[in-house]
Amino acid sequence: MKSSLTQFVLALGLLLATGCARPEQVPTPPNLLPKEKMTSLLVQIHLLEARVETSRLPPDSARALFLSQQRDLMLRNGVSPTDSVFERSYRYYASHAKDLDGIYAGVIDSLSQREKKMDPTRMPRPN
């Protein structure tokens, strides 16, 4: 009994030591996309999602359209869709909460500015 408890504690300690890396310990992936590029890509992806959602396509067709358009979006922005650099960069920034918060603050700001341009009723009126 004591042996199995010791093994369990050792295994748990090893798991915690290797599996719970702090953000400072997460290695920077090769070809990390800069924060500005991530912000721009996320804005474009959210706009693409909105367009696809309002297309009234069946779910499987909407998904196929989104994936095709997302691939084109990545290519237009110089990001290889087969390289997974976007996913690696996103995971890296997600493990660094302050960085991801800053990126999404930029996304929200950019989308809010676009919304104001599109909806003249939300614009402040001159006095």
Side-chain angles (χ1 to χ4, degrees), residues 13-72:
L14 181 62
L15 178 67
L16 291 173
T18 59
C20 299
R22 284 186 258 151
E24 307 85 50
Q25 298 171 336
V26 175
T28 303
N31 303 325
L32 178 71
L33 293 174
K35 293 176 190 176
E36 298 78 23
K37 183 90 161 187
M38 284 297 294
T39 301
S40 173
L41 285 169
L42 287 168
V43 166
Q44 294 174 61
I45 288 171
H46 285 294
L47 292 171
L48 173 60
E49 286 176 342
R51 284 193 304 272
V52 170
E53 283 180 13
T54 59
S55 69
R56 298 179 189 232
L57 291 170
D60 56 340
S61 298
R63 178 165 170 71
L65 175 64
F66 175 78
L67 292 175
S68 171
Q69 294 292 310
Q70 183 183 32
R71 181 180 186 286
D72 293 345

Short mmCIF file of all heavy atoms in Angstrom, two decimals, residues 13-72:
data_model
loop_
_atom_site.label_atom_id
_atom_site.label_comp_id
_atom_site.label_asym_id
_atom_site.label_seq_id
_atom_site.Cartn_x
_atom_site.Cartn_y
_atom_site.Cartn_z
N GLY A 13 3.86 14.43 -8.81
CA GLY A 13 4.90 15.45 -8.78
C GLY A 13 5.55 15.63 -10.14
O GLY A 13 5.79 16.75 -10.58
N LEU A 14 5.81 14.53 -10.82
CA LEU A 14 6.40 14.60 -12.16
C LEU A 14 5.44 15.27 -13.13
O LEU A 14 5.84 16.11 -13.94
CB LEU A 14 6.76 13.20 -12.64
CG LEU A 14 7.41 13.10 -14.01
CD1 LEU A 14 8.73 13.85 -14.02
CD2 LEU A 14 7.62 11.65 -14.39
N LEU A 15 4.17 14.92 -13.04
CA LEU A 15 3.16 15.53 -13.91
C LEU A 15 3.07 17.03 -13.67
O LEU A 15 3.06 17.82 -14.62
CB LEU A 15 1.80 14.88 -13.67
CG LEU A 15 0.63 15.45 -14.47
CD1 LEU A 15 0.82 15.14 -15.96
CD2 LEU A 15 -0.68 14.89 -13.98
N LEU A 16 3.04 17.43 -12.43
CA LEU A 16 2.97 18.86 -12.12
C LEU A 16 4.22 19.59 -12.55
O LEU A 16 4.16 20.73 -13.02
CB LEU A 16 2.72 19.07 -10.62
CG LEU A 16 1.34 18.66 -10.11
CD1 LEU A 16 1.28 18.76 -8.59
CD2 LEU A 16 0.26 19.49 -10.74
N ALA A 17 5.37 18.95 -12.39
CA ALA A 17 6.62 19.60 -12.75
C ALA A 17 6.77 19.79 -14.26
O ALA A 17 7.31 20.78 -14.73
CB ALA A 17 7.80 18.80 -12.21
N THR A 18 6.26 18.84 -15.05
CA THR A 18 6.43 18.92 -16.50
C THR A 18 5.22 19.47 -17.22
O THR A 18 5.36 20.08 -18.27
CB THR A 18 6.75 17.54 -17.10
OG1 THR A 18 5.67 16.64 -16.80
CG2 THR A 18 8.05 17.00 -16.55
N GLY A 19 4.03 19.28 -16.70
CA GLY A 19 2.82 19.65 -17.42
C GLY A 19 2.27 21.02 -17.14
O GLY A 19 1.46 21.53 -17.88
N CYS A 20 2.70 21.63 -16.09
CA CYS A 20 2.14 22.92 -15.71
C CYS A 20 3.18 24.02 -15.84
O CYS A 20 3.57 24.65 -14.87
CB CYS A 20 1.61 22.87 -14.27
SG CYS A 20 0.29 21.68 -14.04
N ALA A 21 3.64 24.22 -17.02
CA ALA A 21 4.65 25.25 -17.24
C ALA A 21 4.04 26.63 -17.07
O ALA A 21 2.91 26.88 -17.49
CB ALA A 21 5.23 25.12 -18.64
N ARG A 22 4.77 27.50 -16.42
CA ARG A 22 4.32 28.88 -16.28
C ARG A 22 4.56 29.61 -17.59
O ARG A 22 5.41 29.21 -18.39
CB ARG A 22 5.09 29.55 -15.14
CG ARG A 22 4.57 29.12 -13.79
CD ARG A 22 5.25 29.89 -12.70
NE ARG A 22 6.25 28.99 -12.15
CZ ARG A 22 7.38 29.39 -11.60
NH1 ARG A 22 7.68 30.66 -11.52
NH2 ARG A 22 8.23 28.52 -11.13
N PRO A 23 3.82 30.70 -17.85
CA PRO A 23 3.99 31.41 -19.11
C PRO A 23 5.43 31.79 -19.42
O PRO A 23 5.83 31.75 -20.56
CB PRO A 23 3.13 32.67 -18.93
CG PRO A 23 2.09 32.27 -17.96
CD PRO A 23 2.77 31.27 -17.04
N GLU A 24 6.21 32.12 -18.39
CA GLU A 24 7.59 32.48 -18.64
C GLU A 24 8.37 31.30 -19.19
O GLU A 24 9.40 31.46 -19.81
CB GLU A 24 8.29 32.99 -17.37
CG GLU A 24 7.59 34.10 -16.62
CD GLU A 24 6.52 33.59 -15.66
OE1 GLU A 24 6.79 32.69 -14.85
OE2 GLU A 24 5.41 34.11 -15.74
N GLN A 25 7.90 30.08 -18.91
CA GLN A 25 8.61 28.88 -19.32
C GLN A 25 8.13 28.34 -20.66
O GLN A 25 8.73 27.42 -21.18
CB GLN A 25 8.46 27.80 -18.25
CG GLN A 25 9.04 28.21 -16.91
CD GLN A 25 8.69 27.22 -15.82
OE1 GLN A 25 7.70 26.50 -15.90
NE2 GLN A 25 9.49 27.19 -14.76
N VAL A 26 7.05 28.86 -21.18
CA VAL A 26 6.54 28.38 -22.47
C VAL A 26 7.50 28.86 -23.55
O VAL A 26 7.75 30.06 -23.67
CB VAL A 26 5.11 28.91 -22.74
CG1 VAL A 26 4.65 28.52 -24.12
CG2 VAL A 26 4.16 28.40 -21.68
N PRO A 27 8.07 27.93 -24.31
CA PRO A 27 9.04 28.35 -25.33
C PRO A 27 8.37 29.15 -26.44
O PRO A 27 7.23 28.88 -26.82
CB PRO A 27 9.61 27.04 -25.85
CG PRO A 27 8.59 26.01 -25.52
CD PRO A 27 7.87 26.49 -24.30
N THR A 28 9.08 30.13 -26.92
CA THR A 28 8.57 30.93 -28.04
C THR A 28 8.62 30.08 -29.30
O THR A 28 9.67 29.54 -29.63
CB THR A 28 9.43 32.20 -28.22
OG1 THR A 28 9.44 32.92 -27.00
CG2 THR A 28 8.89 33.07 -29.33
N PRO A 29 7.49 29.93 -29.99
CA PRO A 29 7.49 29.10 -31.20
C PRO A 29 8.28 29.77 -32.32
O PRO A 29 8.44 30.99 -32.34
CB PRO A 29 6.01 29.01 -31.57
CG PRO A 29 5.38 30.19 -30.95
CD PRO A 29 6.19 30.51 -29.72
N PRO A 30 8.80 28.95 -33.23
CA PRO A 30 9.49 29.55 -34.38
C PRO A 30 8.49 30.35 -35.22
O PRO A 30 7.32 29.98 -35.31
CB PRO A 30 10.03 28.34 -35.15
CG PRO A 30 9.21 27.18 -34.69
CD PRO A 30 8.75 27.51 -33.30
N ASN A 31 8.95 31.41 -35.81
CA ASN A 31 8.11 32.26 -36.67
C ASN A 31 6.89 32.81 -35.94
O ASN A 31 5.81 32.90 -36.53
CB ASN A 31 7.66 31.49 -37.92
CG ASN A 31 8.82 30.96 -38.70
OD1 ASN A 31 9.87 31.59 -38.78
ND2 ASN A 31 8.65 29.78 -39.27
N LEU A 32 7.03 33.18 -34.68
CA LEU A 32 5.92 33.76 -33.92
C LEU A 32 5.41 35.00 -34.64
O LEU A 32 6.19 35.88 -35.02
CB LEU A 32 6.40 34.16 -32.51
CG LEU A 32 5.37 34.81 -31.61
CD1 LEU A 32 4.32 33.79 -31.18
CD2 LEU A 32 6.05 35.40 -30.38
N LEU A 33 4.10 35.05 -34.85
CA LEU A 33 3.52 36.22 -35.49
C LEU A 33 3.53 37.38 -34.50
O LEU A 33 3.17 37.21 -33.34
CB LEU A 33 2.08 35.93 -35.93
CG LEU A 33 1.91 34.90 -37.04
CD1 LEU A 33 0.43 34.61 -37.27
CD2 LEU A 33 2.56 35.36 -38.32
N PRO A 34 3.92 38.57 -34.96
CA PRO A 34 3.90 39.74 -34.07
C PRO A 34 2.47 40.05 -33.61
O PRO A 34 1.49 39.69 -34.28
CB PRO A 34 4.44 40.87 -34.94
CG PRO A 34 5.02 40.25 -36.15
CD PRO A 34 4.41 38.89 -36.29
N LYS A 35 2.36 40.70 -32.48
CA LYS A 35 1.05 41.03 -31.91
C LYS A 35 0.18 41.81 -32.90
O LYS A 35 -1.02 41.58 -33.00
CB LYS A 35 1.20 41.83 -30.62
CG LYS A 35 1.81 41.04 -29.49
CD LYS A 35 2.02 41.93 -28.27
CE LYS A 35 2.84 41.24 -27.24
NZ LYS A 35 3.14 42.10 -26.10
N GLU A 36 0.79 42.74 -33.62
CA GLU A 36 0.03 43.56 -34.57
C GLU A 36 -0.57 42.68 -35.69
O GLU A 36 -1.71 42.87 -36.11
CB GLU A 36 0.91 44.65 -35.19
CG GLU A 36 1.45 45.65 -34.19
CD GLU A 36 2.64 45.12 -33.39
OE1 GLU A 36 3.34 44.19 -33.86
OE2 GLU A 36 2.87 45.64 -32.29
N LYS A 37 0.21 41.71 -36.15
CA LYS A 37 -0.26 40.80 -37.21
C LYS A 37 -1.37 39.91 -36.67
O LYS A 37 -2.36 39.67 -37.35
CB LYS A 37 0.92 39.96 -37.71
CG LYS A 37 0.59 39.03 -38.84
CD LYS A 37 0.79 39.73 -40.13
CE LYS A 37 0.92 38.73 -41.26
NZ LYS A 37 1.28 39.38 -42.49
N MET A 38 -1.22 39.43 -35.43
CA MET A 38 -2.26 38.61 -34.82
C MET A 38 -3.55 39.41 -34.68
O MET A 38 -4.63 38.90 -34.96
CB MET A 38 -1.81 38.10 -33.43
CG MET A 38 -0.83 36.96 -33.46
SD MET A 38 -1.46 35.45 -34.22
CE MET A 38 -2.73 34.98 -33.07
N THR A 39 -3.43 40.66 -34.26
CA THR A 39 -4.61 41.51 -34.11
C THR A 39 -5.31 41.67 -35.45
O THR A 39 -6.53 41.48 -35.55
CB THR A 39 -4.21 42.89 -33.55
OG1 THR A 39 -3.58 42.71 -32.28
CG2 THR A 39 -5.42 43.79 -33.39
N SER A 40 -4.56 41.98 -36.48
CA SER A 40 -5.13 42.16 -37.81
C SER A 40 -5.80 40.88 -38.31
O SER A 40 -6.92 40.92 -38.84
CB SER A 40 -4.03 42.59 -38.79
OG SER A 40 -4.53 42.62 -40.11
N LEU A 41 -5.13 39.75 -38.15
CA LEU A 41 -5.71 38.48 -38.59
C LEU A 41 -6.99 38.15 -37.83
O LEU A 41 -7.97 37.70 -38.42
CB LEU A 41 -4.70 37.35 -38.44
CG LEU A 41 -3.57 37.31 -39.46
CD1 LEU A 41 -2.50 36.31 -39.05
CD2 LEU A 41 -4.11 36.98 -40.84
N LEU A 42 -6.98 38.37 -36.52
CA LEU A 42 -8.17 38.07 -35.73
C LEU A 42 -9.34 38.98 -36.10
O LEU A 42 -10.49 38.53 -36.14
CB LEU A 42 -7.85 38.16 -34.23
CG LEU A 42 -7.01 37.00 -33.70
CD1 LEU A 42 -6.50 37.31 -32.31
CD2 LEU A 42 -7.81 35.71 -33.71
N VAL A 43 -9.07 40.24 -36.39
CA VAL A 43 -10.13 41.14 -36.85
C VAL A 43 -10.73 40.58 -38.14
O VAL A 43 -11.96 40.46 -38.28
CB VAL A 43 -9.60 42.58 -37.07
CG1 VAL A 43 -10.59 43.42 -37.86
CG2 VAL A 43 -9.29 43.23 -35.74
N GLN A 44 -9.88 40.22 -39.08
CA GLN A 44 -10.36 39.71 -40.36
C GLN A 44 -11.11 38.38 -40.20
O GLN A 44 -12.12 38.15 -40.86
CB GLN A 44 -9.18 39.52 -41.32
CG GLN A 44 -8.53 40.83 -41.72
CD GLN A 44 -7.29 40.62 -42.54
OE1 GLN A 44 -7.37 40.04 -43.62
NE2 GLN A 44 -6.15 41.06 -42.04
N ILE A 45 -10.65 37.53 -39.29
CA ILE A 45 -11.33 36.25 -39.05
C ILE A 45 -12.70 36.49 -38.44
O ILE A 45 -13.69 35.85 -38.82
CB ILE A 45 -10.46 35.33 -38.17
CG1 ILE A 45 -9.27 34.82 -38.99
CG2 ILE A 45 -11.27 34.17 -37.62
CD1 ILE A 45 -8.22 34.08 -38.18
N HIS A 46 -12.81 37.42 -37.49
CA HIS A 46 -14.11 37.71 -36.88
C HIS A 46 -15.08 38.30 -37.91
O HIS A 46 -16.27 37.98 -37.91
CB HIS A 46 -13.96 38.64 -35.67
CG HIS A 46 -13.41 37.93 -34.46
ND1 HIS A 46 -14.09 36.95 -33.79
CD2 HIS A 46 -12.22 38.06 -33.82
CE1 HIS A 46 -13.37 36.51 -32.78
NE2 HIS A 46 -12.22 37.18 -32.78
N LEU A 47 -14.57 39.15 -38.79
CA LEU A 47 -15.43 39.69 -39.84
C LEU A 47 -15.88 38.59 -40.80
O LEU A 47 -17.04 38.57 -41.24
CB LEU A 47 -14.70 40.81 -40.60
CG LEU A 47 -14.44 42.08 -39.80
CD1 LEU A 47 -13.52 43.01 -40.56
CD2 LEU A 47 -15.75 42.77 -39.45
N LEU A 48 -14.96 37.69 -41.13
CA LEU A 48 -15.31 36.56 -41.99
C LEU A 48 -16.38 35.68 -41.33
O LEU A 48 -17.35 35.28 -41.98
CB LEU A 48 -14.05 35.73 -42.30
CG LEU A 48 -14.26 34.42 -43.05
CD1 LEU A 48 -14.90 34.67 -44.42
CD2 LEU A 48 -12.93 33.69 -43.20
N GLU A 49 -16.22 35.40 -40.05
CA GLU A 49 -17.22 34.62 -39.33
C GLU A 49 -18.60 35.28 -39.39
O GLU A 49 -19.60 34.62 -39.60
CB GLU A 49 -16.82 34.44 -37.87
CG GLU A 49 -15.71 33.46 -37.65
CD GLU A 49 -15.26 33.38 -36.20
OE1 GLU A 49 -15.57 34.32 -35.40
OE2 GLU A 49 -14.60 32.41 -35.85
N ALA A 50 -18.62 36.59 -39.21
CA ALA A 50 -19.89 37.32 -39.25
C ALA A 50 -20.53 37.22 -40.63
O ALA A 50 -21.75 37.01 -40.75
CB ALA A 50 -19.68 38.77 -38.87
N ARG A 51 -19.72 37.37 -41.68
CA ARG A 51 -20.26 37.26 -43.04
C ARG A 51 -20.81 35.86 -43.31
O ARG A 51 -21.88 35.71 -43.89
CB ARG A 51 -19.19 37.61 -44.08
CG ARG A 51 -18.92 39.08 -44.21
CD ARG A 51 -18.09 39.42 -45.44
NE ARG A 51 -16.83 38.73 -45.52
CZ ARG A 51 -15.69 39.16 -44.97
NH1 ARG A 51 -15.67 40.30 -44.30
NH2 ARG A 51 -14.58 38.48 -45.10
N VAL A 52 -20.10 34.84 -42.87
CA VAL A 52 -20.55 33.47 -43.09
C VAL A 52 -21.81 33.18 -42.29
O VAL A 52 -22.74 32.55 -42.79
CB VAL A 52 -19.42 32.45 -42.77
CG1 VAL A 52 -19.94 31.03 -42.76
CG2 VAL A 52 -18.27 32.60 -43.77
N GLU A 53 -21.86 33.65 -41.05
CA GLU A 53 -23.04 33.43 -40.21
C GLU A 53 -24.29 34.07 -40.81
O GLU A 53 -25.39 33.55 -40.66
CB GLU A 53 -22.82 33.96 -38.80
CG GLU A 53 -21.95 33.07 -37.96
CD GLU A 53 -21.75 33.63 -36.56
OE1 GLU A 53 -22.47 34.56 -36.16
OE2 GLU A 53 -20.86 33.12 -35.87
N THR A 54 -24.14 35.20 -41.47
CA THR A 54 -25.30 35.88 -42.05
C THR A 54 -25.61 35.41 -43.47
O THR A 54 -26.55 35.91 -44.08
CB THR A 54 -25.10 37.41 -42.06
OG1 THR A 54 -23.94 37.72 -42.83
CG2 THR A 54 -24.97 37.96 -40.65
N SER A 55 -24.86 34.44 -43.96
CA SER A 55 -25.07 33.96 -45.33
C SER A 55 -26.27 33.03 -45.46
O SER A 55 -26.69 32.74 -46.57
CB SER A 55 -23.81 33.24 -45.83
OG SER A 55 -23.65 32.02 -45.13
N ARG A 56 -26.80 32.57 -44.38
CA ARG A 56 -27.96 31.68 -44.35
C ARG A 56 -27.72 30.36 -45.09
O ARG A 56 -28.63 29.77 -45.64
CB ARG A 56 -29.19 32.38 -44.92
CG ARG A 56 -29.59 33.59 -44.13
CD ARG A 56 -30.80 34.25 -44.74
NE ARG A 56 -31.04 35.50 -44.09
CZ ARG A 56 -32.21 35.84 -43.58
NH1 ARG A 56 -33.22 35.04 -43.66
NH2 ARG A 56 -32.36 37.01 -43.00
N LEU A 57 -26.48 29.93 -45.08
CA LEU A 57 -26.13 28.64 -45.67
C LEU A 57 -26.36 27.53 -44.66
O LEU A 57 -26.31 27.77 -43.45
CB LEU A 57 -24.66 28.63 -46.09
CG LEU A 57 -24.27 29.51 -47.26
CD1 LEU A 57 -22.75 29.56 -47.39
CD2 LEU A 57 -24.90 29.00 -48.55
N PRO A 58 -26.60 26.31 -45.15
CA PRO A 58 -26.66 25.18 -44.21
C PRO A 58 -25.31 25.06 -43.47
O PRO A 58 -24.27 25.46 -44.01
CB PRO A 58 -26.88 23.96 -45.12
CG PRO A 58 -27.35 24.50 -46.42
CD PRO A 58 -26.84 25.91 -46.52
N PRO A 59 -25.33 24.52 -42.26
CA PRO A 59 -24.10 24.48 -41.45
C PRO A 59 -22.89 23.87 -42.15
O PRO A 59 -21.78 24.41 -42.06
CB PRO A 59 -24.50 23.66 -40.23
CG PRO A 59 -25.97 23.85 -40.11
CD PRO A 59 -26.47 23.99 -41.52
N ASP A 60 -23.08 22.77 -42.88
CA ASP A 60 -21.92 22.14 -43.53
C ASP A 60 -21.38 23.02 -44.65
O ASP A 60 -20.17 23.14 -44.84
CB ASP A 60 -22.25 20.74 -44.04
CG ASP A 60 -23.44 20.71 -44.98
OD1 ASP A 60 -24.25 21.65 -44.97
OD2 ASP A 60 -23.55 19.73 -45.74
N SER A 61 -22.26 23.68 -45.38
CA SER A 61 -21.82 24.58 -46.45
C SER A 61 -21.16 25.83 -45.87
O SER A 61 -20.16 26.32 -46.40
CB SER A 61 -23.00 25.00 -47.33
OG SER A 61 -23.57 23.88 -47.96
N ALA A 62 -21.71 26.33 -44.77
CA ALA A 62 -21.13 27.51 -44.12
C ALA A 62 -19.73 27.19 -43.60
O ALA A 62 -18.81 28.00 -43.76
CB ALA A 62 -22.02 27.98 -42.97
N ARG A 63 -19.56 26.01 -43.04
CA ARG A 63 -18.23 25.62 -42.55
C ARG A 63 -17.24 25.51 -43.70
O ARG A 63 -16.11 25.99 -43.60
CB ARG A 63 -18.32 24.30 -41.79
CG ARG A 63 -16.97 23.82 -41.30
CD ARG A 63 -17.09 22.71 -40.26
NE ARG A 63 -15.85 22.09 -39.93
CZ ARG A 63 -14.86 22.63 -39.25
NH1 ARG A 63 -14.98 23.85 -38.83
NH2 ARG A 63 -13.75 21.97 -39.00
N ALA A 64 -17.66 24.88 -44.80
CA ALA A 64 -16.77 24.75 -45.96
C ALA A 64 -16.40 26.13 -46.51
O ALA A 64 -15.24 26.37 -46.86
CB ALA A 64 -17.45 23.90 -47.03
N LEU A 65 -17.38 27.03 -46.59
CA LEU A 65 -17.11 28.38 -47.06
C LEU A 65 -16.14 29.10 -46.13
O LEU A 65 -15.17 29.72 -46.58
CB LEU A 65 -18.41 29.19 -47.16
CG LEU A 65 -18.25 30.66 -47.54
CD1 LEU A 65 -17.66 30.80 -48.94
CD2 LEU A 65 -19.61 31.37 -47.44
N PHE A 66 -16.38 28.99 -44.82
CA PHE A 66 -15.50 29.65 -43.86
C PHE A 66 -14.06 29.15 -43.98
O PHE A 66 -13.13 29.94 -44.03
CB PHE A 66 -16.00 29.44 -42.42
CG PHE A 66 -15.06 30.00 -41.40
CD1 PHE A 66 -15.02 31.36 -41.16
CD2 PHE A 66 -14.17 29.18 -40.72
CE1 PHE A 66 -14.13 31.89 -40.22
CE2 PHE A 66 -13.27 29.70 -39.80
CZ PHE A 66 -13.25 31.07 -39.56
N LEU A 67 -13.88 27.83 -44.05
CA LEU A 67 -12.53 27.27 -44.12
C LEU A 67 -11.82 27.68 -45.40
O LEU A 67 -10.63 28.01 -45.39
CB LEU A 67 -12.58 25.74 -43.99
CG LEU A 67 -13.02 25.22 -42.62
CD1 LEU A 67 -13.16 23.70 -42.64
CD2 LEU A 67 -12.04 25.66 -41.54
N SER A 68 -12.57 27.72 -46.50
CA SER A 68 -11.99 28.15 -47.77
C SER A 68 -11.59 29.62 -47.72
O SER A 68 -10.48 30.00 -48.12
CB SER A 68 -13.00 27.92 -48.90
OG SER A 68 -12.56 28.50 -50.09
N GLN A 69 -12.48 30.45 -47.21
CA GLN A 69 -12.20 31.88 -47.10
C GLN A 69 -11.10 32.17 -46.09
O GLN A 69 -10.29 33.08 -46.29
CB GLN A 69 -13.48 32.64 -46.72
CG GLN A 69 -14.56 32.60 -47.78
CD GLN A 69 -14.15 33.39 -49.00
OE1 GLN A 69 -13.73 34.53 -48.89
NE2 GLN A 69 -14.29 32.79 -50.17
N GLN A 70 -11.05 31.39 -45.02
CA GLN A 70 -10.00 31.57 -44.02
C GLN A 70 -8.63 31.23 -44.63
O GLN A 70 -7.65 31.93 -44.39
CB GLN A 70 -10.25 30.69 -42.80
CG GLN A 70 -9.24 30.89 -41.69
CD GLN A 70 -9.45 29.98 -40.52
OE1 GLN A 70 -9.91 28.85 -40.67
NE2 GLN A 70 -9.13 30.45 -39.33
N ARG A 71 -8.59 30.19 -45.44
CA ARG A 71 -7.34 29.82 -46.12
C ARG A 71 -6.89 30.97 -47.03
O ARG A 71 -5.72 31.36 -47.02
CB ARG A 71 -7.57 28.55 -46.93
CG ARG A 71 -6.36 28.05 -47.66
CD ARG A 71 -6.69 26.77 -48.44
NE ARG A 71 -5.54 26.18 -49.04
CZ ARG A 71 -4.91 26.66 -50.12
NH1 ARG A 71 -5.33 27.75 -50.69
NH2 ARG A 71 -3.85 26.05 -50.62
N ASP A 72 -7.82 31.53 -47.81
CA ASP A 72 -7.50 32.65 -48.69
C ASP A 72 -7.03 33.86 -47.89
O ASP A 72 -6.09 34.56 -48.28
CB ASP A 72 -8.71 33.03 -49.55
CG ASP A 72 -9.08 31.97 -50.56
OD1 ASP A 72 -8.26 31.05 -50.82
OD2 ASP A 72 -10.21 32.04 -51.10
#
